[in-house]
């Protein structure tokens, strides 16, 4: 029977972030939230440190990058050039907020 190939620390960044996020509301970006996520994923905290050497701050950075990418994707579908500047700003800000809310 073939062994399942273990993912690299880089490949696990997304799943680790996904596992930590539900615990952030209760425990913050803390070691406790990271420990719970590690237990749920069946990996060690040392492996998480390999994936995120910058710790929780690096996790927040990845979350913001994901949110920015989602916002830009949604904004491509909107006709921003046809809007007044205040409507463009409002649309961009609201899209960003809603993308961040969807990450929770």
């Amino acid at each position: 029977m073939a062994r399942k190939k273990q993912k690299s620390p880089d490949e696990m960044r997304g799943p680790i972030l996904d596992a930590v996020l539900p615990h952030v509301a209760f425990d913050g970006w803390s070691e406790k939230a990271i420990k719970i996520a590690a237990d749920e994923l069946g990996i060690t905290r040392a492996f998480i440190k390999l994936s995120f050497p910058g710790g929780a701050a690096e996790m927040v950075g990845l979350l913001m990058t994901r949110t920015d990418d989602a916002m830009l994707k949604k904004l491509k579908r909107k006709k921003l050039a046809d809007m007044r500047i205040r409507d463009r700003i409002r649309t961009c800000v609201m899209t960003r907020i809603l993308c961040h809310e969807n990450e929770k």
Side-chain angles (χ1 to χ4, degrees):
M1 187 167 175
R3 273 184 57 153
K4 186 177 176 183
K5 183 180 181 257
Q6 185 169 351
K7 292 184 179 181
S8 73
D10 265 358
E11 293 171 320
M12 286 298 294
R13 287 172 58 87
I16 290 168
L17 179 60
D18 292 339
V20 169
L21 282 175
H23 306 290
V24 169
F26 300 101
D27 300 311
W29 293 95
S30 66
E31 283 298 317
K32 182 177 180 183
I34 292 169
K35 181 191 178 321
I36 293 168
D39 291 346
E40 289 175 354
L41 292 171
I43 59 177
T44 65
R45 283 185 279 172
F47 188 87
I48 290 180
K49 288 189 186 289
L50 288 173
S51 299
F52 291 95
E58 194 171 336
M59 289 179 188
V60 172
L62 178 58
L63 175 62
M64 294 301 103
T65 298
R66 274 185 177 180
T67 305
D68 289 344
D69 291 347
M71 174 194 67
L72 292 172
K73 186 176 178 181
K74 287 182 180 187
L75 287 175
K76 283 183 181 179
R77 293 185 235 132
K78 301 192 184 280
K79 296 180 180 177
L80 294 175
D82 297 341
M83 297 179 189
R84 295 181 303 192
I85 189 69
R86 72 172 168 236
D87 294 331
R88 279 187 232 170
I89 293 168
R90 180 185 184 285
T91 298
C92 291
V93 170
M94 291 305 297
T95 301
R96 177 63 166 78
I97 290 169
L98 293 172
C99 285
H100 181 70
E101 287 296 314
N102 290 336
E103 281 291 333
K104 292 181 179 178

